[in-house]
Amino acid sequence: MPMSSSPTGSFETGHSFVIVTPTTKLPCFFVDGHPRNPVFVGRGEELEKLDDYLLADPQPRPRVNNTTKRACAIWGVGGVGKTQIAVEWAYSRKSEFQAVLWANAQSREQLDISFSQIAEKLGLLTQANSLSPRTVVREVKEWLADPLMSTPSSSQGVDTASAVKPARASWLLIFDSVGDLDDLHSYWPEGDEGSILVTCRDPKIEENPSFACNSIELDPFSQDDALDFFKKSLGGLIRKTPSDSEEATTVALQYLADRLHYFPLYMTAVAGAMKRLGITAQEYLTYYQSEIGSAKLFASEVPEYGHRSMALSWDLESLSEGAAALLNVASLLSTTGISEDILRQKPEGALAIDFPQDAVSYFEDLAVLSQSSFAIRNIPEKSIFVHDIVQDVTRAMLVSTAGKMERTFEATVKLVSAVWPFVTVAPQPVFAEYRQNKRWNQCERIYPHLLSLSNVFERYSLLQAPSLEVYDFTLLLSEMAWYQLERADPTSCQAAADLALKIVEERGLPEREAFRAIVSAVHGTLQQLAFDTNDPKSCFFHAQQALTIQEDLCAQSGRRTQKLAVALSEMGKACSRNKLYHKALDCYEESRRIREAQPGFKPAALYTYHLGRGHALWLLGKHDEASSSIEQALQLQVETYGVVDDTTSHRTGLALFALGNIRLSQGRLLESHSLHQRALRQFKVSVGVNHMYYAAACYKDGEHNMRFNEYEFSKLRFETALRVYCDDKHYRQEIARTKFQLGKALLCLGETGRGGELMKDARKLYGELVPDNSCAPNELNDADFDDLICFWFR
């Protein structure tokens, strides 16, 4: 098929391509939706200590471990008010900083999500939620170490020596609710810039030299602060009638505070119950002591976290059915802030647990929770927050009633499923293609809740609950795995996929058609993961599993479907990855025949056929046939998007890259270089400058510059590629090859020390990757390192 517009263009020099860095967005105030507490009281001593530890000094003085790092940890048991102090200090001192940043530190996954949000808020990255978490964390940490008020973009003809250096920004980073101190190491900013505030329950942080923190142990309220808190919270309920003397009211409130051990969270719950019931402190005491008994209200002691004993005092049983159902659902979701569209989009999914079904009921029940201080609503963000202790107590009550946790889990999964943009098993029309950038914002917002559901599933051993319907949850796990594959997070992808397969296997569901479709999709995800991370054997195994399932499903239905065609294409890719090139061509041809036989067939559906076939032919040395096939793939992209080198689909970049490789094999070096540069630009706009595809194109451009003795530009490209790979263990093959080439470039530039070290590192890594290699380290050459790499990016 002739090209209507030639896919090749004029040659461009290696240094004509300029990367423009986004401008930093300052001032930036991001506290993850936490509203300022209108009834915050006391804590004056702690706030003053935070001023001393965290505000910049005119003359910086050594602090912990003789560093000038401004860092402080507030630690104490759950419910004592650590987060509330952090929120109050952030709001009241925000004028001291150009950037106030909040990271939920309950887990590594939550930290990754928070750093992605921070990167977006600061303008450091666009589509940060589509990038590898490692990449995002690195970008944020680099800015924190060198916090420029504005980021200069590269340009030609600028005298950088005489340019005015941008001012440096002051920043505050809050790590809230640290679950495991070890998780902080990868996210802790380097250098002495900025201020860091940590909240956690672990007292060991003050002994940990890695963080060099000052520390504040937070105790419950003082007697005076407790009384002030009750008075500020209750307002007009302090004294309703003339018979309620000020002295009697004070005595009642002091008695309540004492029996609640002055714990802010528990006092908040009791004050909320009094407001909800519209009764005074005296009436509250009389009611519980006479009708329910004081044991119902007060625990004899406060254990370390107080989850179960204090549940008795919160009177959760008295909530209306709708309010209780709303709290039960919220207890299974993330504490980061529950977007209300999850709760309101399709409430009929939770009808079985008496969940509010209309707007009036929803807001009435939410008002009950808000008045009782079980939930806080952030009106501008349209989200609600539930404290993790409230969640734990609510979960404990769910477990105490047979079948209630299972019913609530099923309902919550249905609510979340209503807002997740599905692509794996039953794609929604608007997300018909897997890789759609517009999905990522929605996925990032909902993903913490999928993660929370996964944790609940495993923590409460729901796999062993025979009454639990698991189809919807298993489907969500398939989606989680694919989303993390898109984000280039192999570890999280593997974890979600493994759990999905475990559920199907241990529940004895592999032969049920609906579950077989999910298993096929999961194997397809794992096949692509293995392909991207240079694991040929796993790639072939998972491709074979997915294909076998699709063949069986088609045999049962009597129809050869589009999904079978996709499975055959992926099998072709896996065959090429394992050097079974003729078998790959057979798979691609069969895939083409099935696609063309589908109702409503459009030629654009043959893109993967032409691209895969072109790769296989190239690897067989049939360069002219390969070139024709790849050109047809590019032509289909032109017809789909209406332009040459569209800025939408990364598929265009893949085809340009492949055609560049073919031109190189044909000895047409200038055309090859031009095509690889076009691929570089296309990847920049379609997947971003921190994606592995962009790194591969940078490497290839650097390789071309080596041929033209442009060693400085080769060095720049190879260093950029290594920056993207970020020492990720899943990209060790790419790292080895890139270090080898960078070492050669540095040797040519006379930088023998660093160049020699890089080549030594590359050879050592090669030996680890190919332990049965017979070559001596000094005998390794370019071809040896190229053999490590997936054929797409050789």
Coordinates of all heavy atoms in Angstrom, one line a residue, residues 558-610:
G558 N -18.9 -21.1 19.0 CA -19.0 -21.3 17.6 C -18.6 -20.1 16.8 O -18.8 -20.0 15.6
R559 N -18.0 -19.0 17.5 CA -17.7 -17.8 16.8 C -16.2 -17.5 17.1 O -15.7 -17.6 18.2 CB -18.5 -16.6 17.3 CG -20.0 -16.7 16.9 CD -20.7 -15.4 17.2 NE -20.6 -15.1 18.6 CZ -19.8 -14.1 19.1 NH1 -19.1 -13.3 18.3 NH2 -19.8 -13.8 20.4
R560 N -15.5 -17.0 16.0 CA -14.1 -16.6 16.2 C -14.1 -15.1 16.4 O -14.4 -14.3 15.5 CB -13.2 -17.0 15.0 CG -13.0 -18.5 14.9 CD -12.7 -19.0 13.5 NE -11.5 -18.5 13.0 CZ -10.2 -19.0 13.2 NH1 -10.1 -20.0 14.1 NH2 -9.2 -18.4 12.7
T561 N -13.8 -14.7 17.6 CA -14.0 -13.3 18.0 C -12.8 -12.4 17.9 O -11.7 -12.9 17.6 CB -14.5 -13.3 19.5 OG1 -13.4 -13.7 20.3 CG2 -15.7 -14.2 19.7
Q562 N -13.1 -11.1 18.1 CA -12.0 -10.1 18.1 C -11.0 -10.4 19.2 O -9.8 -10.2 19.0 CB -12.6 -8.7 18.3 CG -11.6 -7.6 18.4 CD -11.0 -7.2 17.1 OE1 -11.5 -7.7 16.0 NE2 -10.0 -6.3 17.1
K563 N -11.4 -10.9 20.3 CA -10.5 -11.2 21.4 C -9.6 -12.3 21.0 O -8.4 -12.4 21.4 CB -11.3 -11.6 22.7 CG -12.0 -10.4 23.3 CD -12.6 -10.7 24.6 CE -13.2 -9.5 25.3 NZ -12.3 -8.5 25.7
L564 N -10.0 -13.3 20.2 CA -9.1 -14.3 19.7 C -8.1 -13.7 18.8 O -6.9 -14.1 18.9 CB -10.0 -15.4 19.0 CG -9.1 -16.5 18.3 CD1 -8.3 -17.3 19.4 CD2 -10.0 -17.5 17.6
A565 N -8.5 -12.8 18.0 CA -7.5 -12.1 17.1 C -6.5 -11.4 17.9 O -5.3 -11.5 17.6 CB -8.3 -11.2 16.2
V566 N -6.9 -10.7 18.9 CA -5.9 -10.0 19.8 C -5.0 -11.0 20.4 O -3.7 -10.8 20.5 CB -6.7 -9.2 20.9 CG1 -5.7 -8.7 21.9 CG2 -7.5 -8.1 20.3
A567 N -5.5 -12.2 21.0 CA -4.7 -13.2 21.6 C -3.6 -13.7 20.6 O -2.5 -14.0 21.0 CB -5.5 -14.3 22.2
L568 N -4.1 -13.9 19.4 CA -3.1 -14.4 18.3 C -2.0 -13.4 18.0 O -0.9 -13.8 17.9 CB -3.9 -14.8 17.1 CG -4.6 -16.1 17.1 CD1 -5.7 -16.2 16.0 CD2 -3.6 -17.3 16.9
S569 N -2.4 -12.1 18.0 CA -1.4 -11.1 17.8 C -0.4 -11.1 18.9 O 0.9 -11.0 18.7 CB -2.0 -9.7 17.7 OG -2.7 -9.5 16.5
E570 N -0.9 -11.2 20.2 CA 0.0 -11.2 21.3 C 0.9 -12.5 21.3 O 2.1 -12.4 21.7 CB -0.8 -11.1 22.6 CG -1.5 -9.8 22.8 CD -0.6 -8.6 22.7 OE1 0.4 -8.5 23.4 OE2 -0.8 -7.7 21.8
M571 N 0.3 -13.6 20.8 CA 1.1 -14.8 20.7 C 2.2 -14.6 19.7 O 3.4 -15.1 19.8 CB 0.2 -16.0 20.3 CG 0.9 -17.3 20.4 SD 1.3 -17.8 22.1 CE 2.9 -18.5 21.9
G572 N 1.9 -13.9 18.6 CA 2.9 -13.6 17.6 C 4.0 -12.8 18.2 O 5.2 -13.0 17.9
K573 N 3.7 -11.8 19.0 CA 4.7 -11.0 19.6 C 5.6 -11.8 20.5 O 6.8 -11.6 20.5 CB 4.0 -9.8 20.4 CG 4.9 -8.7 20.8 CD 4.1 -7.5 21.1 CE 3.3 -7.7 22.4 NZ 2.5 -6.4 22.8
A574 N 5.0 -12.7 21.3 CA 5.7 -13.6 22.2 C 6.7 -14.5 21.4 O 7.8 -14.8 21.9 CB 4.8 -14.4 23.1
C575 N 6.2 -15.0 20.3 CA 7.0 -15.9 19.4 C 8.2 -15.1 18.9 O 9.4 -15.6 19.0 CB 6.2 -16.5 18.3 SG 5.0 -17.7 18.8
S576 N 8.0 -13.9 18.5 CA 9.2 -13.1 18.0 C 10.1 -12.9 19.1 O 11.4 -12.9 18.9 CB 8.7 -11.8 17.4 OG 8.0 -11.9 16.2
R577 N 9.6 -12.6 20.3 CA 10.5 -12.4 21.5 C 11.3 -13.6 21.8 O 12.4 -13.5 22.4 CB 9.6 -12.0 22.7 CG 10.4 -11.6 23.9 CD 11.1 -10.2 23.6 NE 12.0 -9.8 24.7 CZ 13.3 -10.2 24.8 NH1 13.9 -10.9 23.8 NH2 14.1 -9.8 25.7
N578 N 10.8 -14.8 21.4 CA 11.5 -16.1 21.7 C 12.2 -16.6 20.4 O 12.5 -17.8 20.4 CB 10.6 -17.1 22.3 CG 10.3 -16.8 23.7 OD1 11.0 -17.2 24.6 ND2 9.2 -16.0 24.0
K579 N 12.4 -15.7 19.4 CA 13.1 -16.0 18.2 C 12.4 -17.1 17.3 O 13.0 -17.8 16.6 CB 14.5 -16.4 18.4 CG 15.3 -15.3 19.2 CD 16.8 -15.7 19.4 CE 17.5 -14.5 20.1 NZ 18.9 -14.8 20.3
L580 N 11.1 -17.3 17.5 CA 10.3 -18.2 16.7 C 9.6 -17.4 15.6 O 8.3 -17.2 15.6 CB 9.3 -18.9 17.6 CG 9.9 -19.7 18.8 CD1 8.7 -20.2 19.7 CD2 10.7 -20.9 18.3
Y581 N 10.3 -16.9 14.7 CA 9.8 -15.9 13.8 C 8.8 -16.4 12.8 O 7.8 -15.7 12.5 CB 11.0 -15.2 13.0 CG 12.1 -14.6 14.0 CD1 13.4 -15.0 13.8 CD2 11.7 -13.8 15.0 CE1 14.4 -14.5 14.7 CE2 12.7 -13.3 15.9 CZ 14.0 -13.7 15.7 OH 14.9 -13.2 16.6
H582 N 9.0 -17.6 12.3 CA 8.1 -18.1 11.3 C 6.7 -18.4 12.0 O 5.6 -18.2 11.4 CB 8.6 -19.4 10.6 CG 9.8 -19.1 9.7 ND1 9.6 -18.5 8.5 CD2 11.1 -19.3 9.9 CE1 10.8 -18.4 7.9 NE2 11.7 -18.9 8.7
K583 N 6.8 -18.9 13.2 CA 5.5 -19.2 14.0 C 4.8 -17.9 14.2 O 3.6 -17.8 14.2 CB 5.8 -19.9 15.3 CG 4.6 -20.3 16.1 CD 4.9 -21.2 17.3 CE 3.6 -21.5 18.0 NZ 3.9 -22.4 19.2
A584 N 5.6 -16.8 14.5 CA 5.1 -15.5 14.7 C 4.3 -15.0 13.5 O 3.1 -14.5 13.6 CB 6.1 -14.5 15.1
L585 N 4.9 -15.2 12.3 CA 4.2 -14.8 11.1 C 2.9 -15.6 10.9 O 1.9 -15.0 10.5 CB 5.1 -15.0 9.9 CG 6.3 -14.1 9.8 CD1 7.2 -14.5 8.7 CD2 5.8 -12.7 9.5
D586 N 2.9 -16.9 11.3 CA 1.6 -17.7 11.2 C 0.6 -17.1 12.1 O -0.6 -17.0 11.7 CB 1.9 -19.1 11.5 CG 2.8 -19.8 10.5 OD1 2.8 -19.3 9.3 OD2 3.3 -20.9 10.8
C587 N 0.9 -16.7 13.3 CA 0.0 -16.2 14.2 C -0.6 -14.8 13.7 O -1.8 -14.6 13.8 CB 0.6 -15.9 15.6 SG 1.0 -17.4 16.5
Y588 N 0.3 -14.0 13.2 CA -0.2 -12.7 12.7 C -1.1 -12.9 11.5 O -2.1 -12.2 11.4 CB 1.0 -11.8 12.2 CG 1.8 -11.3 13.4 CD1 3.1 -11.5 13.5 CD2 1.1 -10.5 14.4 CE1 3.8 -11.0 14.6 CE2 1.8 -10.0 15.5 CZ 3.2 -10.3 15.6 OH 3.9 -9.8 16.7
E589 N -0.8 -13.8 10.6 CA -1.7 -14.1 9.5 C -3.1 -14.6 9.9 O -4.1 -14.1 9.4 CB -1.1 -15.1 8.5 CG 0.1 -14.5 7.7 CD -0.3 -13.3 6.8 OE1 -1.4 -13.2 6.4 OE2 0.6 -12.5 6.6
E590 N -3.1 -15.5 10.9 CA -4.4 -16.0 11.4 C -5.2 -14.9 12.0 O -6.4 -14.8 11.9 CB -4.2 -17.1 12.3 CG -5.4 -17.8 12.8 CD -6.2 -18.5 11.7 OE1 -5.6 -18.8 10.6 OE2 -7.4 -18.9 11.9
S591 N -4.5 -14.0 12.8 CA -5.1 -12.9 13.4 C -5.8 -12.0 12.4 O -6.9 -11.5 12.6 CB -4.1 -12.1 14.3 OG -4.6 -10.9 14.7
R592 N -5.0 -11.7 11.3 CA -5.6 -10.8 10.2 C -6.9 -11.4 9.6 O -7.8 -10.7 9.4 CB -4.5 -10.7 9.1 CG -5.0 -9.8 7.9 CD -4.0 -9.8 6.8 NE -3.8 -11.2 6.3 CZ -4.6 -11.8 5.4 NH1 -5.7 -11.3 5.0 NH2 -4.3 -13.0 5.0
R593 N -6.9 -12.7 9.4 CA -8.1 -13.3 8.8 C -9.3 -13.2 9.7 O -10.4 -12.9 9.2 CB -7.8 -14.8 8.5 CG -6.9 -15.0 7.3 CD -6.9 -16.5 6.8 NE -6.1 -17.3 7.8 CZ -4.8 -17.6 7.7 NH1 -4.1 -17.0 6.7 NH2 -4.2 -18.3 8.5
I594 N -9.1 -13.4 11.0 CA -10.2 -13.2 11.9 C -10.7 -11.8 12.0 O -11.9 -11.5 12.0 CB -9.7 -13.7 13.3 CG1 -9.4 -15.2 13.3 CG2 -10.8 -13.4 14.4 CD1 -8.8 -15.8 14.6
R595 N -9.8 -10.9 12.0 CA -10.2 -9.4 12.1 C -11.0 -9.0 10.9 O -12.0 -8.4 11.0 CB -8.9 -8.5 12.2 CG -8.2 -8.6 13.6 CD -7.0 -7.7 13.6 NE -6.1 -7.9 14.7 CZ -6.3 -7.4 15.9 NH1 -7.3 -6.5 16.1 NH2 -5.4 -7.6 16.9
E596 N -10.5 -9.5 9.7 CA -11.2 -9.1 8.5 C -12.6 -9.7 8.4 O -13.5 -9.2 7.7 CB -10.4 -9.5 7.3 CG -9.1 -8.6 7.1 CD -8.2 -9.1 5.9 OE1 -8.4 -10.2 5.5 OE2 -7.4 -8.3 5.5
A597 N -12.8 -10.8 9.1 CA -14.1 -11.4 9.1 C -15.1 -10.9 10.1 O -16.3 -11.3 10.1 CB -13.9 -12.9 9.3
Q598 N -14.6 -9.9 10.9 CA -15.5 -9.4 12.0 C -16.6 -8.4 11.4 O -16.3 -7.7 10.4 CB -14.7 -8.7 13.0 CG -13.7 -9.5 13.8 CD -14.4 -10.6 14.6 OE1 -15.4 -10.4 15.3 NE2 -14.0 -11.9 14.3
P599 N -17.8 -8.4 11.9 CA -18.8 -7.4 11.4 C -18.2 -6.0 11.7 O -17.6 -5.7 12.7 CB -20.0 -7.7 12.3 CG -19.8 -9.1 12.9 CD -18.3 -9.3 13.0
G600 N -18.5 -5.2 10.7 CA -18.0 -3.8 10.8 C -16.5 -3.6 10.7 O -16.0 -2.6 11.3
F601 N -15.8 -4.5 10.1 CA -14.4 -4.5 10.1 C -13.9 -3.1 9.5 O -14.4 -2.7 8.5 CB -13.8 -5.6 9.2 CG -12.4 -5.4 8.8 CD1 -11.3 -5.6 9.7 CD2 -12.1 -5.1 7.5 CE1 -10.0 -5.4 9.3 CE2 -10.8 -4.9 7.1 CZ -9.7 -5.0 8.0
K602 N -12.9 -2.6 10.1 CA -12.2 -1.4 9.5 C -10.7 -1.6 9.4 O -10.1 -2.3 10.3 CB -12.4 -0.2 10.5 CG -13.9 0.3 10.5 CD -14.1 1.5 11.5 CE -15.5 1.9 11.5 NZ -15.7 3.1 12.4
P603 N -10.1 -1.2 8.3 CA -8.7 -1.4 8.1 C -7.8 -1.0 9.2 O -6.7 -1.7 9.4 CB -8.4 -0.6 6.8 CG -9.7 -0.5 6.1 CD -10.7 -0.4 7.2
A604 N -8.2 0.0 10.0 CA -7.3 0.4 11.1 C -7.1 -0.7 12.1 O -6.1 -0.7 12.9 CB -8.0 1.6 11.8
A605 N -8.0 -1.7 12.1 CA -7.8 -2.8 13.1 C -6.6 -3.7 12.7 O -6.2 -4.5 13.5 CB -9.0 -3.7 13.0
L606 N -6.0 -3.5 11.5 CA -4.8 -4.3 11.1 C -3.5 -3.6 11.5 O -2.4 -4.1 11.1 CB -4.9 -4.5 9.6 CG -6.1 -5.3 9.1 CD1 -6.0 -5.5 7.6 CD2 -6.1 -6.7 9.8
Y607 N -3.5 -2.6 12.3 CA -2.3 -1.9 12.7 C -1.3 -2.9 13.3 O -0.2 -3.1 13.0 CB -2.5 -0.8 13.6 CG -1.3 -0.3 14.3 CD1 -0.5 0.7 13.7 CD2 -0.9 -0.8 15.6 CE1 0.7 1.1 14.4 CE2 0.2 -0.4 16.2 CZ 1.0 0.6 15.6 OH 2.2 1.0 16.2
T608 N -1.8 -3.7 14.3 CA -1.0 -4.6 15.1 C -0.5 -5.7 14.2 O 0.7 -6.2 14.3 CB -1.7 -5.2 16.3 OG1 -2.9 -5.8 15.9 CG2 -2.0 -4.1 17.3
Y609 N -1.3 -6.1 13.2 CA -0.8 -7.1 12.2 C 0.4 -6.6 11.4 O 1.4 -7.3 11.3 CB -2.0 -7.5 11.3 CG -1.5 -8.1 10.0 CD1 -1.1 -9.5 10.0 CD2 -1.6 -7.4 8.8 CE1 -0.7 -10.0 8.8 CE2 -1.1 -8.0 7.6 CZ -0.7 -9.3 7.6 OH -0.3 -9.9 6.4
H610 N 0.2 -5.4 10.9 CA 1.3 -4.9 10.0 C 2.6 -4.6 10.9 O 3.7 -4.9 10.4 CB 0.9 -3.6 9.4 CG -0.1 -3.8 8.3 ND1 0.1 -4.6 7.2 CD2 -1.4 -3.3 8.1 CE1 -1.0 -4.6 6.4 NE2 -1.9 -3.8 6.9

